[in-house]
Amino acid sequence: MEALALERKAEQNAELKARIAQLKKERNAIILAHYYQRDEIQEIADFRGDSFLLAQKAATTDADVIVFCGVHFMGESAKILAPNKTVIIPDERAGCPMADMVNVDGLRALKKQHPNAKVVAYINTSAEVKSETDICCTSANAVKVVNSVDADEVIWVPDKNLGDYVAKFTSKKMIIWEGYCNTHDMLTVKDVEEMKAQHPNAQFVVHPECRPEVVKLGDFVGSTTAIIKYCKESPHTEFIVGTEDGTGFQLRKDSPEKTFHFATKYLVCPNMKVNNLKKVAKCLETMSPQIYVPPHVADQARASLERMLQVK
């Protein structure tokens, strides 16, 4: 019975993939997928990447339609950078709890308390929050961005764990917001130590959205893209991975001969996983749900995203 069910599922997926390919042609659409998406979504994507890479792709693509397989703030960033394109997402319920932890009113109040500080917003924020910031960053370029800012004080929103990591690489005074990523923040020292005991030869690679005491244990610390690159180029053949489990798709694709253990089975972002092939096909058929960002918000947010893209 199970074999039959799997066979039927494979048939359905093949039909959906063919339908998506056809619709993409008709709509002149491009599919962008974040590394944390389900394998089936990453397989059909024209580009896989982290927030930064996908934001750049959105800004430069010739397609008329961008299907953004990620969470809502990513679709917003694509729309802000490519205002003349139609940006659709497979499921508008794909939100980001961390992005929801910072709001415009709270940020404005903090800016009043620190009038000489510049605001650096992690890309994991809403368009409205971005419109209140001086410059955006991703985990890949956070240290560079903070050090590029022309101020001694930096208001950092919303991820306290990444903020703590960045603070170690700058002389600037960091005023850190109390947000965090539910998924990365779940990983504990105990989880890592247990995995290290089971796999003593494995290197531990970790995302800086994890807790500071967990990050401290890392043999390598970096963004999703940096982790993938490190594992691919490393002479080591076994890794304990401290980031969302969707990265396993690219890790295994790049290095089929290497072994990857996720540091805990709970490294799964439920919001990233709500998208599936059926929803991708449907959003291309109906051209909805579309991402809309009010023009005045988009203009201000675009300035902070473009400043980020200029940091070398």
Coordinates of all heavy atoms in Angstrom, one line a residue, residues 162-196:
L162 N 21.7 37.2 16.4 CA 22.6 37.7 15.3 C 23.2 39.0 15.7 O 24.4 39.3 15.5 CB 21.8 37.9 14.0 CG 22.6 38.4 12.8 CD1 23.7 37.4 12.5 CD2 21.7 38.5 11.5
G163 N 22.5 39.9 16.5 CA 23.0 41.1 17.0 C 24.2 40.9 17.9 O 25.2 41.6 17.8
D164 N 24.0 39.9 18.8 CA 25.1 39.5 19.7 C 26.4 39.1 18.9 O 27.5 39.4 19.3 CB 24.6 38.4 20.6 CG 25.7 37.9 21.6 OD1 25.9 38.5 22.7 OD2 26.4 37.0 21.2
Y165 N 26.1 38.3 17.9 CA 27.3 37.8 17.0 C 28.0 39.0 16.4 O 29.2 39.1 16.4 CB 26.7 36.8 16.0 CG 27.8 36.3 15.1 CD1 28.8 35.4 15.5 CD2 27.9 36.8 13.8 CE1 29.7 34.9 14.6 CE2 28.9 36.3 12.9 CZ 29.8 35.4 13.3 OH 30.8 34.9 12.5
V166 N 27.2 39.9 15.8 CA 27.8 41.0 15.0 C 28.5 41.9 16.0 O 29.6 42.5 15.6 CB 26.6 41.8 14.3 CG1 27.2 43.1 13.7 CG2 26.0 41.0 13.2
A167 N 28.0 42.1 17.2 CA 28.7 43.0 18.2 C 30.1 42.6 18.5 O 30.9 43.4 18.8 CB 27.9 43.0 19.5
K168 N 30.4 41.3 18.3 CA 31.8 40.8 18.5 C 32.8 41.3 17.4 O 34.0 41.2 17.6 CB 31.8 39.3 18.6 CG 31.1 38.7 19.8 CD 31.1 37.2 19.8 CE 30.5 36.6 21.0 NZ 29.2 36.9 21.4
F169 N 32.3 41.8 16.3 CA 33.1 42.2 15.2 C 33.0 43.7 14.9 O 33.4 44.1 13.8 CB 32.7 41.4 13.9 CG 32.9 39.9 14.1 CD1 31.8 39.1 14.6 CD2 34.1 39.3 13.9 CE1 32.0 37.7 14.7 CE2 34.3 37.9 14.1 CZ 33.2 37.1 14.5
T170 N 32.6 44.5 15.8 CA 32.5 45.9 15.6 C 32.8 46.7 16.9 O 32.6 46.1 18.0 CB 31.1 46.3 15.1 OG1 31.1 47.7 14.8 CG2 30.0 46.0 16.1
S171 N 33.3 47.9 16.7 CA 33.6 48.7 17.9 C 32.4 49.6 18.2 O 32.4 50.4 19.1 CB 34.8 49.6 17.6 OG 34.6 50.4 16.5
K172 N 31.3 49.5 17.3 CA 30.2 50.4 17.5 C 29.3 49.9 18.7 O 29.3 48.7 19.0 CB 29.3 50.4 16.2 CG 30.1 51.0 15.0 CD 29.2 51.0 13.8 CE 30.0 51.4 12.6 NZ 30.6 52.7 12.6
K173 N 28.6 50.9 19.3 CA 27.7 50.5 20.4 C 26.4 50.0 19.8 O 25.8 50.6 19.0 CB 27.4 51.7 21.3 CG 26.6 51.3 22.5 CD 26.1 52.5 23.3 CE 25.2 52.1 24.4 NZ 24.3 53.1 24.8
M174 N 26.1 48.7 20.1 CA 24.9 48.1 19.5 C 23.7 48.2 20.5 O 23.8 47.7 21.6 CB 25.2 46.6 19.2 CG 26.3 46.4 18.2 SD 25.8 46.4 16.5 CE 24.9 44.8 16.4
I175 N 22.6 48.8 20.1 CA 21.4 48.8 20.9 C 20.5 47.7 20.2 O 20.0 47.9 19.1 CB 20.7 50.2 20.8 CG1 21.7 51.2 21.4 CG2 19.4 50.2 21.6 CD1 21.7 52.5 20.6
I176 N 20.4 46.6 20.9 CA 19.8 45.4 20.3 C 18.4 45.1 20.7 O 18.1 45.0 21.9 CB 20.7 44.1 20.6 CG1 22.1 44.4 20.0 CG2 20.1 42.9 20.1 CD1 23.2 43.3 20.4
W177 N 17.5 45.0 19.7 CA 16.1 44.6 19.9 C 16.0 43.2 20.4 O 16.9 42.3 20.1 CB 15.4 44.8 18.6 CG 13.9 44.7 18.6 CD1 13.1 43.6 18.6 CD2 13.0 45.8 18.8 NE1 11.8 44.0 18.6 CE2 11.7 45.3 18.8 CE3 13.2 47.2 18.9 CZ2 10.6 46.2 18.9 CZ3 12.1 48.1 19.0 CH2 10.8 47.5 19.0
E178 N 14.9 42.8 21.1 CA 14.8 41.5 21.8 C 14.1 40.5 20.9 O 13.3 39.7 21.4 CB 14.1 41.7 23.1 CG 15.0 42.1 24.2 CD 16.0 41.0 24.7 OE1 15.6 39.9 25.0 OE2 17.2 41.4 24.6
G179 N 14.3 40.5 19.6 CA 13.6 39.4 18.8 C 14.5 38.2 18.6 O 15.7 38.2 18.9
Y180 N 13.9 37.2 18.0 CA 14.7 36.0 17.7 C 14.0 35.1 16.7 O 12.7 35.2 16.5 CB 15.0 35.2 19.0 CG 13.8 34.8 19.8 CD1 13.1 33.5 19.5 CD2 13.2 35.6 20.7 CE1 12.0 33.2 20.2 CE2 12.1 35.2 21.4 CZ 11.4 34.0 21.1 OH 10.3 33.7 21.8
C181 N 14.7 34.2 16.1 CA 14.1 33.2 15.2 C 13.6 32.0 16.0 O 14.5 31.3 16.6 CB 15.1 32.8 14.1 SG 14.6 31.3 13.2
N182 N 12.3 31.7 16.0 CA 11.8 30.6 16.8 C 12.5 29.3 16.5 O 12.8 28.5 17.4 CB 10.3 30.3 16.4 CG 9.5 31.5 16.9 OD1 9.9 32.6 16.9 ND2 8.3 31.2 17.3
T183 N 12.9 29.1 15.2 CA 13.5 27.8 14.8 C 14.9 27.7 15.3 O 15.3 26.7 16.0 CB 13.4 27.6 13.3 OG1 12.0 27.7 12.9 CG2 14.0 26.3 12.8
H184 N 15.7 28.7 14.9 CA 17.2 28.6 15.3 C 17.3 28.7 16.8 O 18.3 28.1 17.4 CB 17.9 29.8 14.7 CG 18.2 29.5 13.2 ND1 17.5 30.1 12.2 CD2 19.1 28.7 12.6 CE1 18.0 29.7 11.0 NE2 18.9 28.8 11.2
D185 N 16.5 29.5 17.5 CA 16.6 29.7 18.9 C 16.3 28.4 19.7 O 16.7 28.3 20.9 CB 15.7 30.8 19.4 CG 16.1 31.4 20.8 OD1 17.2 31.9 20.9 OD2 15.3 31.2 21.7
M186 N 15.7 27.4 19.1 CA 15.3 26.2 19.8 C 16.6 25.3 20.1 O 16.6 24.5 20.9 CB 14.4 25.3 18.9 CG 13.0 25.6 19.1 SD 12.1 24.4 18.1 CE 10.5 25.1 18.1
L187 N 17.6 25.5 19.2 CA 18.8 24.6 19.3 C 19.5 25.0 20.6 O 19.9 26.1 20.9 CB 19.7 24.8 18.1 CG 20.9 23.9 18.0 CD1 20.5 22.5 18.0 CD2 21.7 24.3 16.8
T188 N 19.8 23.9 21.4 CA 20.5 24.1 22.7 C 21.9 23.5 22.7 O 22.2 22.7 21.9 CB 19.7 23.5 23.9 OG1 19.7 22.0 23.6 CG2 18.3 24.0 23.9
V189 N 22.7 23.9 23.7 CA 24.0 23.3 23.9 C 23.9 21.8 24.1 O 24.7 21.1 23.5 CB 24.7 24.0 25.1 CG1 26.0 23.2 25.5 CG2 25.1 25.5 24.8
K190 N 22.9 21.4 24.9 CA 22.7 20.0 25.1 C 22.5 19.2 23.8 O 23.1 18.1 23.6 CB 21.5 19.8 26.1 CG 21.3 18.4 26.5 CD 20.2 18.4 27.6 CE 19.9 17.0 28.1 NZ 18.9 16.3 27.2
D191 N 21.7 19.8 22.9 CA 21.4 19.1 21.6 C 22.8 18.9 20.9 O 23.0 17.8 20.3 CB 20.6 20.0 20.7 CG 19.1 20.1 21.2 OD1 18.6 19.2 21.9 OD2 18.5 21.2 21.0
V192 N 23.6 19.9 20.8 CA 24.8 19.9 20.1 C 25.8 18.9 20.7 O 26.4 18.1 20.0 CB 25.5 21.3 20.0 CG1 26.8 21.3 19.2 CG2 24.5 22.3 19.3
E193 N 25.9 19.0 22.0 CA 26.8 18.1 22.7 C 26.4 16.6 22.5 O 27.3 15.7 22.4 CB 26.9 18.4 24.2 CG 27.7 19.7 24.5 CD 27.7 20.2 25.9 OE1 26.8 19.7 26.7 OE2 28.5 21.0 26.2
E194 N 25.1 16.3 22.6 CA 24.7 14.9 22.3 C 25.0 14.5 20.9 O 25.5 13.3 20.7 CB 23.2 14.9 22.5 CG 22.8 14.8 24.0 CD 21.3 14.8 24.2 OE1 20.5 14.8 23.2 OE2 20.9 14.9 25.4
M195 N 24.9 15.4 19.9 CA 25.2 15.0 18.5 C 26.7 14.8 18.4 O 27.2 13.9 17.7 CB 24.7 16.1 17.6 CG 23.2 16.1 17.3 SD 22.6 14.5 16.7 CE 23.0 14.7 15.0
K196 N 27.5 15.7 19.1 CA 28.9 15.6 19.0 C 29.4 14.2 19.6 O 30.4 13.6 19.1 CB 29.6 16.7 19.7 CG 29.6 18.0 18.8 CD 30.4 19.1 19.5 CE 30.7 20.3 18.5 NZ 31.9 20.9 18.6

